[in-house]
Amino acid sequence: MTPSEASQLAADGVVVVYSITDRESFRYAQRVLDLLNGVRGLPVTLMANKADLAHLRTVEHCEGRALADGAGASFYEVSVAEDSAGLYQAFELLVGECHAQLCTNNNNNNNGLGDKAGSRTRKFSVTKMLGTLIGAAKGSSPPPSPPSGTAAASGQGTVIVCQKSDLYRTGVLKRRHKTSASASL
Ligand SMILES: Nc1nc2c(ncn2[C@@H]2O[C@H](COP(=O)(O)OP(=O)(O)OP(=O)(O)O)[C@@H](O)[C@H]2O)c(=O)[nH]1
């Protein structure tokens, strides 16, 4: 993996695998984790494979653990050949981390850009008298009650929760040429 590949990585999570019998694969894993360190919020799991070949071991368990800790990654020593439980545990944990990260990203988007893109609910305060006038302009009947949960009335006036576009459509707000908006209340 090159630095530019790491920066353009479109992944929800990454599993880096080395063999405990192959020190070169461990060095490669070190380089990859270094590169992934720059990718913020990416769940990473370091997996040391071939745990069943302990007699051929060239990379100690503590070395793998230290590497993972330093990189903020989860660490598992597993044996694909022996179908070890750690293998399933590692993937389950990683999927959970990916899911949590996606939720965090979605929340951040909704609190930022999402607000600009979506239709925003705005509150416009209208005095009782003006509310009556708006009703009179449409006919002689009083203004219709807004749908339940969208308005709160009090003796001081009426607060109507509505979309700004509805106010333009009904003529309560008027657009001026080359200016943002003006209220006709
Ligand atoms: N004993 C043992 N052998 C394994 C294990 N995982 C993979 N192998 C063996 O290692 C060899 C390479 O496995 P591959 O699945 O081809 O993995 P690779 O990443 O292409 O590995 P390399 O060819 O060594 O670079 C195969 O003979 C596998 O059977 C394991 O956990 N234990």
Side-chain angles (χ1 to χ4, degrees):
M1 177 183 279
T2 64
S4 86
E5 280 171 342
S7 66
Q8 290 169 24
L9 196 68
D12 296 327
V14 176
V15 180
V16 178
V17 185
Y18 69 89
S19 165
I20 64 161
T21 66
D22 181 354
R23 183 151 283 272
E24 185 47 43
S25 71
F26 180 67
R27 288 196 200 100
Y28 185 78
Q30 273 175 319
R31 291 200 294 277
V32 171
L33 287 185
D34 273 352
L35 292 174
L36 293 177
N37 240 343
V39 185
R40 207 161 59 94
L42 180 70
V44 178
T45 295
L46 179 63
M47 211 175 264
N49 192 27
K50 304 195 183 181
D52 56 301
L53 300 179
H55 55 292
L56 299 175
R57 182 189 282 277
T58 59
V59 183
E60 296 305 318
H61 180 97
C62 60
E63 291 180 277
R65 164 67 62 198
L67 176 60
D69 287 351
S74 306
F75 178 65
Y76 289 87
E77 231 181 58
V78 301
S79 167
V80 170
E82 293 193 341
D83 220 17
S84 59
L87 194 58
Y88 299 97
Q89 211 185 325
F91 277 99
E92 271 170 27
L93 190 94
L94 183 67
V95 169
E97 283 179 30
C98 293
H99 187 252
Q101 188 59 46
L102 284 174
C103 289
T104 304
N105 293 348
N106 285 342
N107 285 342
N108 289 344
N109 287 342
N110 289 340
N111 292 335
L113 283 173
D115 195 23
K116 282 182 192 159
S119 61
R120 279 198 258 174
T121 300
R122 297 177 183 214
K123 285 184 180 179
F124 290 86
S125 186
V126 183
T127 67
K128 238 181 173 181
M129 187 181 75
L130 287 174
T132 307
L133 283 176
I134 294 167
K138 287 182 180 172
S140 54
S141 55
S145 307
S148 72
T150 60
S154 75
Q156 305 305 307
T158 305
V159 175
I160 303 171
V161 181
C162 56
Q163 301 296 324
K164 201 173 181 184
S165 58
D166 290 338
L167 296 183
Y168 285 124
R169 192 169 41 75
T170 54
V172 175
L173 287 181
K174 285 198 174 83
R175 289 183 196 281
R176 278 192 195 152
H177 189 56
K178 289 188 180 170
T179 59
S180 51
S182 71
S184 63
L185 299 179

